[in-house]
């Protein structure tokens, strides 16, 4: 808008495009190495700048009006291709970059017009200073925040939100960059400042919104872990109480049996004594705890949940082949199995509430194959059980367990999936054994 020769235009194009590339890739992770990124960005910049200079020479008016938008659109395709981020996250960062482009473009022009009598070199210097200031601010203040909340945007941002965001940004920046505003009146300056504030507030609102959603998700994970720990403590308390009761019963029975045996011996009733000892042996053998596998921790937790499931009249089928020398820490293994079993019981109980006559079952298979551990769990579930992002929604699992399973499995390169197979919920997991 300040005019100048094609050489001045060339310098502006170089500074603006270099600043755009710098600001975007400060916030985004490229899919290639830094050296390759510099080479690809340099080649892209040369082609685009040469085309822009030719356009400037051929038709100055249309170039001034549209060149910023055209260059940015071309850069948007280049950035999406070069960025390692998912497309929704790349679009969000492009919108933020577009806002910063408007800041240094309009900031340079307005500063040159108001303070330096439309001096083109003042415009160029102000652009460089604004780009450097924004790059410094991103690097020191918000780079970690943007990269940190990128995961939340990736999982929560939807197409409608992206569309509304981009439309609002384009309208706001489009008004600011409108070249038809030739008169630098106080009212025009007020309009420009107002639009900058509104579009900046929109960006800040989106950032705060998804940062809040992300923190809420983190709190939800922590809450789930606390609930999981509570459930495990409850199961351990049940096991401890059962052990205490069994100890009391054994001590009582020992005194009783000693008295009976002593009476048989005193009366020399040997046949009756032998018959009594035979009956006692049969009764003792019948009360031996179920041995599910050789791993004590896994055996105890599976025993506790199996008893709980059978009390709810759920048919349980176990196929567990697990030794005691597994190198996976018991706490991680128990976390996965306890949560999977807990969710299976919850799913069956919800089915019984909905259809009391429907037969419910749980099938659990655990196998070790070389350096892999395979876990398969299937259970009766409600037909309408839904999944979101490949995971069952909390309302269908009791709100706990899934995130704990995923977190523990990822520590060992675990691959997992969940699915609703027409009323049968299936959880499969394969993970490495260190």
């Amino acid at each position: 808008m300040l005019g100048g020769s094609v050489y001045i235009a060339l310098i502006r194009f170089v500074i603006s495009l270099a600043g755009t590339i710098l600001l975007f890739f400060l916030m985004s992770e490229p899919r290639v190495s830094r050296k390759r990124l510099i080479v690809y960005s340099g080649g892209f910049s040369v082609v685009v700048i040469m085309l822009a200079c030719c356009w400037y020479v051929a038709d100055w008016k249309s170039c001034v009006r549209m060149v910023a938008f055209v260059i940015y659109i071309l850069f948007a395709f280049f950035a999406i291709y070069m960025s390692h981020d998912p497309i929704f996250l790349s679009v969000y960062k492009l919108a933020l970059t577009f806002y910063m482009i408007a800041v240094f473009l309009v900031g340079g022009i307005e500063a040159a017009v108001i303070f330096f009598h439309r001096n083109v070199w003042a415009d160029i210097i102000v652009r460089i200073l604004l780009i450097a200031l924004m790059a410094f601010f991103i690097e020191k203040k918000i780079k970690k925040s943007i990269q940190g909340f990128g995961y939340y945007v990736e999982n929560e941002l939807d197409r409608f939100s992206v569309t509304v965001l981009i439309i609002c940004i384009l309208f706001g920046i489009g008004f600011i960059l409108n070249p038809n505003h030739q008169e630098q009146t106080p009212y025009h300056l007020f309009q420009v400042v107002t639009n900058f504030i509104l579009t900046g507030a929109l960006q800040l609102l989106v950032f705060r919104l998804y940062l809040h959603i992300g923190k809420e998700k983190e709190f939800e994970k922590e809450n789930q872990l606390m609930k999981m720990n509570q459930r495990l403590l409850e199961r351990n308390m049940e096991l401890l109480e059962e052990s205490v009761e069994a100890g009391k019963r054994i001590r009582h029975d020992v005194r009783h049996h000693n008295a009976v045996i002593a009476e048989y011996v005193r009366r020399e009733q040997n046949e009756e004594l032998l018959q009594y000892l035979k009956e006692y042996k049969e009764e003792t053998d019948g009360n031996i705890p179920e041995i599910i596998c050789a791993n004590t921790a896994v055996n105890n937790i599976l025993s506790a949940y199996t008893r709980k499931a059978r009390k709810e009249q759920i048919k349980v089928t176990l196929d567990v082949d697990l030794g005691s020398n597994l190198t996976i820490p018991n706490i991680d293994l128990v976390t996965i199995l306890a949560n999977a079993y807990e969710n299976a019981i919850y799913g069956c109980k919800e089915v019984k509430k909905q259809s009391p006559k429907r037969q419910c079952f749980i099938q659990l298979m655990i196998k070790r194959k070389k350096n892999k551990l395979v876990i398969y769990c299937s259970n009766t579930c409600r037909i309408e059980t839904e999944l979101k992002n490949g995971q069952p929604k909390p309302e269908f699992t009791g709100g706990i367990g899934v995130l704990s399973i995923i977190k523990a499995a990822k520590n060992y390169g675990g691959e997992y999936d969940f699915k609703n197979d027409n009323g049968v919920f299936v959880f499969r997991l394969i993970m490495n054994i260190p």
Side-chain angles (χ1 to χ4, degrees):
M1 294 177 67
L2 298 178
S5 67
V6 68
Y7 301 106
I8 297 297
L10 173 64
I11 295 173
R12 285 176 174 161
F13 293 150
V14 170
I15 293 171
S16 299
L17 189 54
T20 302
I21 294 172
L22 173 64
L23 295 175
F24 178 81
F25 284 106
L26 277 176
M27 299 182 292
S28 183
E29 187 69 24
R31 67 171 66 246
V32 297
S33 65
R34 186 179 295 273
K35 290 183 178 179
R36 286 191 175 186
L37 177 64
I38 294 173
V39 172
Y40 293 156
S41 299
F44 169 79
S45 301
V46 169
V47 173
V48 170
I49 290 171
M50 293 304 296
L51 292 174
C53 289
C54 294
W55 187 6
Y56 187 87
V57 172
D59 188 354
W60 177 82
K61 289 185 178 180
S62 65
C63 180
V64 169
R65 185 178 297 110
M66 296 298 298
V67 71
F69 289 104
V70 173
I71 290 179
Y72 178 75
I73 291 172
L74 293 175
F75 170 74
F77 287 107
F78 173 78
I80 291 174
Y81 176 75
M82 294 299 298
S83 176
H84 189 266
D85 296 326
I87 187 167
F88 283 170
L89 185 55
S90 295
V91 170
Y92 170 79
K93 292 178 179 179
L94 280 169
L96 181 56
T97 305
F98 194 15
Y99 176 76
M100 290 186 285
I101 292 173
V103 170
F104 68 73
L105 287 180
V106 176
I109 293 172
E110 295 296 331
V113 170
I114 296 173
F115 300 106
F116 300 99
H117 306 290
R118 307 179 70 90
N119 186 291
V120 293
W121 293 107
D123 172 27
I124 292 171
I125 292 172
V126 171
R127 288 189 189 191
I128 295 174
L129 291 176
L130 288 175
I131 292 171
L133 183 62
M134 288 187 288
F136 177 80
F137 181 76
I138 292 173
E139 182 68 28
K140 297 298 182 180
K141 298 295 183 181
I142 65 173
K143 185 175 182 178
K144 289 186 178 180
S145 298
I146 290 178
Q147 291 178 344
F149 99 116
Y151 172 80
Y152 312 137
V153 176
E154 175 186 348
N155 285 274
E156 301 298 332
L157 198 61
D158 56 87
R159 289 180 174 84
F160 178 76
S161 300
V162 171
T163 303
V164 172
L165 174 66
I166 296 304
I167 289 176
C168 292
I169 295 296
L170 287 177
F171 274 120
I173 305 303
F175 175 82
I176 293 172
L177 297 178
N178 186 354
N180 294 325
H181 291 283
Q182 301 292 340
E183 297 181 3
Q184 302 298 324
T185 63
Y187 178 70
H188 171 62
L189 187 61
F190 172 76
Q191 286 181 311
V192 171
V193 173
T194 301
N195 273 273
F196 268 125
I197 293 174
L198 291 177
T199 50
L202 176 63
Q203 289 285 345
L204 181 62
L205 178 63
V206 172
F207 180 81
R208 297 281 295 179
L209 172 63
Y210 288 105
L211 191 62
H212 174 75
I213 291 174
K215 289 182 178 179
E216 185 177 346
K217 291 290 184 182
E218 291 296 326
F219 290 145
E220 181 181 341
K221 290 180 183 179
E222 293 298 327
N223 186 39
Q224 288 192 10
L225 289 173
M226 291 177 64
K227 287 183 177 180
M228 182 270 294
N229 289 330
Q230 179 184 352
R231 298 290 179 93
L232 291 178
L233 287 173
E234 288 175 357
R235 299 291 86 80
N236 287 330
M237 288 298 295
E238 290 176 5
L239 291 172
L240 181 60
E241 290 173 0
E242 290 175 2
S243 300
V244 172
E245 291 297 323
K248 291 180 180 178
R249 186 171 60 253
I250 290 171
R251 287 193 295 272
H252 177 270
D253 290 345
V254 166
R255 290 195 297 269
H256 171 73
H257 293 309
N258 287 341
V260 172
I261 292 171
E263 186 65 19
Y264 277 127
V265 171
R266 188 180 63 81
R267 296 183 181 185
E268 297 182 353
Q269 297 174 328
N270 295 332
E271 294 295 329
E272 289 82 355
L273 174 59
L274 291 174
Q275 181 62 30
Y276 177 78
L277 291 175
K278 180 181 179 182
E279 293 175 357
Y280 178 64
K281 181 179 182 299
E282 291 175 353
E283 180 183 354
T284 304
D285 292 342
N287 292 329
I288 293 176
E290 182 181 7
I291 303 299
I292 299 174
C293 68
N295 187 294
T296 304
V298 172
N299 186 82
N300 289 340
I301 202 68
L302 292 183
S303 298
Y305 277 107
T306 299
R307 286 194 295 272
K308 181 180 179 182
R310 288 170 178 165
K311 286 180 182 178
E312 299 290 342
Q313 297 182 342
I314 300 170
K315 182 182 178 181
V316 178
T317 303
L318 299 175
D319 183 9
V320 182
D321 183 11
L322 204 61
S324 58
N325 59 343
L326 201 64
T327 53
I328 297 176
N330 287 332
I331 184 64
D332 292 328
L333 196 56
V334 167
T335 295
I336 295 170
L337 296 176
N339 282 291
Y341 216 150
E342 185 86 41
N343 292 341
I345 294 174
Y346 180 86
C348 291
K349 290 169 67 176
E350 289 298 300
V351 170
K352 286 184 174 292
K353 291 179 183 178
Q354 188 181 62
S355 306
K357 294 183 179 180
R358 188 177 171 189
Q359 295 296 320
C360 294
F361 70 88
I362 296 174
Q363 293 179 341
L364 179 62
M365 185 269 289
I366 309 172
K367 297 286 185 180
R368 177 175 183 172
K369 296 183 178 179
K370 296 183 180 179
N371 65 331
K372 301 287 184 181
L373 182 67
V374 180
I375 299 175
Y376 173 91
C377 182
S378 64
N379 62 274
T380 313
C381 70
R382 293 164 58 183
I383 300 294
E384 60 271 22
T385 299
E386 297 178 1
L387 280 73
K388 180 181 179 182
N389 296 328
Q391 303 173 19
K393 293 184 176 180
E395 57 265 31
F396 297 108
T397 62
I400 69 166
V402 174
L403 295 178
S404 301
I405 292 173
I406 293 173
K407 185 176 181 180
K410 283 184 176 179
N411 293 333
Y412 304 94
E415 297 181 7
Y416 58 88
D417 72 337
F418 304 88
K419 69 175 181 178
N420 177 4
D421 188 7
N422 195 28
V424 177
F425 187 82
V426 178
F427 160 61
R428 295 180 294 183
L429 169 65
I430 299 177
M431 60 184 187
N432 299 318
I433 299 176

